[in-house]
Amino acid sequence: MKTLMLMSAMLLTACAHSPLPLTAESSGWEAFGKQQALDGQLKISQQSLEKRADVSVWNPDLYSAYSVGYEMGKQEYCSQSAYILGVKQERYLGICDDINIFFQQDYVSGRHSTASM
């Protein structure tokens, strides 16, 4: 059941496309990547970004910029309290699991707590 719920959330996330930068400037792609992570989104693959990006601005260096920004945002996102994230009943897609093996567990504990924010 848990796996089914996570897969459903991932599918919904994949369908809810955020607008991509319309520039070939790496700073725009870095900012986009950082915001994706700060929003708790899963990292978009290079292949998916290539398909979604405006072909007149896309180049492989932009994925590197996106990745740098994503990792910065991920570090910030994963430094928050997973327990409080769960208490707030916010969505968590597992982006911190490789950084903190207890993040998911703490998040679930928060979701099941009786505390309210």
Side-chain angles (χ1 to χ4, degrees):
M1 181 73 168
K2 181 179 169 184
T3 304
L4 180 60
M5 288 174 49
L6 181 58
M7 289 176 61
S8 297
M10 289 170 54
L11 181 59
L12 288 173
T13 300
C15 293
H17 296 301
S18 299
L20 298 179
L22 299 174
T23 178
E25 296 293 322
S26 61
S27 61
W29 285 87
E30 187 175 302
F32 173 71
K34 183 174 183 178
Q35 190 58 55
Q36 286 283 129
L38 290 173
D39 291 342
Q41 300 293 322
L42 297 172
K43 188 174 182 182
I44 304 170
S45 71
Q46 183 170 355
Q47 183 180 14
S48 291
L49 279 181
E50 285 176 8
K51 286 180 184 177
R52 290 176 47 199
D54 181 341
V55 293
S56 66
V57 299
W58 180 256
N59 70 65
D61 292 335
L62 297 178
Y63 189 74
S64 295
Y66 165 79
S67 293
V68 166
Y70 186 87
E71 291 306 317
M72 290 185 326
K74 181 178 174 180
Q75 291 297 322
E76 188 174 331
Y77 178 87
C78 296
S79 68
Q80 70 181 307
S81 168
Y83 183 83
I84 297 300
L85 188 68
V87 167
K88 291 179 179 178
Q89 301 295 307
E90 293 189 23
R91 173 182 64 157
Y92 173 64
L93 298 176
I95 73 167
C96 302
D97 293 350
D98 63 333
I99 294 174
N100 178 352
I101 61 172
F102 300 110
F103 199 96
Q104 175 82 32
Q105 180 180 339
D106 293 344
Y107 169 77
V108 170
S109 293
R111 291 219 22 127
H112 294 282
S113 79
T114 57
S116 63
M117 303 263 351

